[in-house]
Amino acid sequence: MDSSTFIEGQAFGGPDVLSVGTTIVTSPQPGEVLIEQVAIGVNFIDVLLRRGELSKQTPYRLGLEASGHVVAVGAGVADLAVGDRVVYAGGQPGAYATRRCVPASRVVRVPEAVELIDAAAMFFKALTADYLVTRLRKLEPGEPVLVHAATGGVGSIIVPLLKAAGVIV
C-alpha cells in the first residue's frame, strides 16, 4: 500500500481554506486503475465547490480531471496496462491528489505527441465542447451560433469545432 497526498477544504471560502492531507491508497478495485498523477486540471467548478455554491458538506475534495501513469490495474480491466500514459475526467471530485484509483471507464490513453500537462489542462473542457457541438442538438451548416467567452477554456476549443461543422460563429 502506498500513500497519496491530497488537498481538501475544511470550510468554504478562498484558497486559504484548503489543507493538505495524506491517505493510504489501496489496490484498485475491479474495473479501476491506480494512477500516479502528473498534472491536474483546474476548472471553475472547483472554485464554485470551494465557495460552497455546489455543496454544503465539508470536508470536500477538489478536482475532476488529471493525467498521469497507470501504476496498477484492477480485475476486469483489459484495455489499460501499467505504464500507460492516461487522462481522465468526471466522476467523484478528488483529482487534487498525487495518486488515485479511478474507474477505468473514465480513463483514456494519451498519445506520446501530447504532453500530460496539456492533456490534464484541456480534457474536461474538450469533452464539454464536443458535447455542445456534436451531441446537444444537430447543428446545420450555415446556422449562426453565438459563443460567449470564445477565448476562454471551452470557447477556444468550441470555436474551431463549430467552424469545422460549417456553422457561422
Side-chain angles (χ1 to χ4, degrees):
M1 285 192 275
D2 295 305
S3 65
S4 178
T5 302
F6 64 88
I7 297 176
E8 72 178 2
Q10 298 292 332
F12 298 109
D16 56 309
V17 303
L18 301 177
S19 61
V20 177
T22 302
T23 188
I24 300 297
V25 177
T26 60
S27 298
Q29 298 297 308
E32 291 183 336
V33 293
L34 173 60
I35 299 173
E36 179 79 34
Q37 300 193 154
V38 171
I40 59 166
V42 179
N43 296 292
F44 190 62
I45 195 169
D46 300 321
V47 175
L48 296 175
L49 182 60
R50 192 187 69 224
R51 289 179 183 166
E53 295 178 28
L54 297 179
S55 172
K56 298 300 179 189
Q57 296 179 325
T58 59
Y60 56 87
R61 300 234 178 130
L62 296 173
L64 292 173
E65 67 183 328
S67 64
H69 301 94
V70 174
V71 293
V73 177
V77 176
D79 54 344
L80 295 167
V82 171
D84 282 350
R85 301 169 74 246
V86 296
V87 65
Y88 70 89
Q92 289 294 103
Y96 287 23
T98 55
R99 297 182 132 222
R100 185 170 187 218
C101 287
V102 297
S105 61
R106 296 201 170 272
V107 177
V108 175
R109 272 193 214 89
V110 176
E112 288 295 328
V114 177
E115 297 292 330
L116 288 174
I117 195 167
D118 295 333
M122 55 183 307
F123 190 59
F124 195 57
K125 291 165 235 14
L127 290 173
T128 302
D130 177 70
Y131 171 78
L132 293 172
V133 172
T134 66
R135 300 165 199 260
L136 183 62
R137 78 169 180 83
K138 174 81 170 120
L139 295 171
E140 300 297 332
E143 181 178 357
V145 176
L146 174 64
V147 178
H148 294 273
T151 60
V154 173
S156 63
I157 299 169
I158 203 170
V159 169
L161 289 177
L162 288 168
K163 286 183 176 182
V167 302
I168 300 168
V169 180

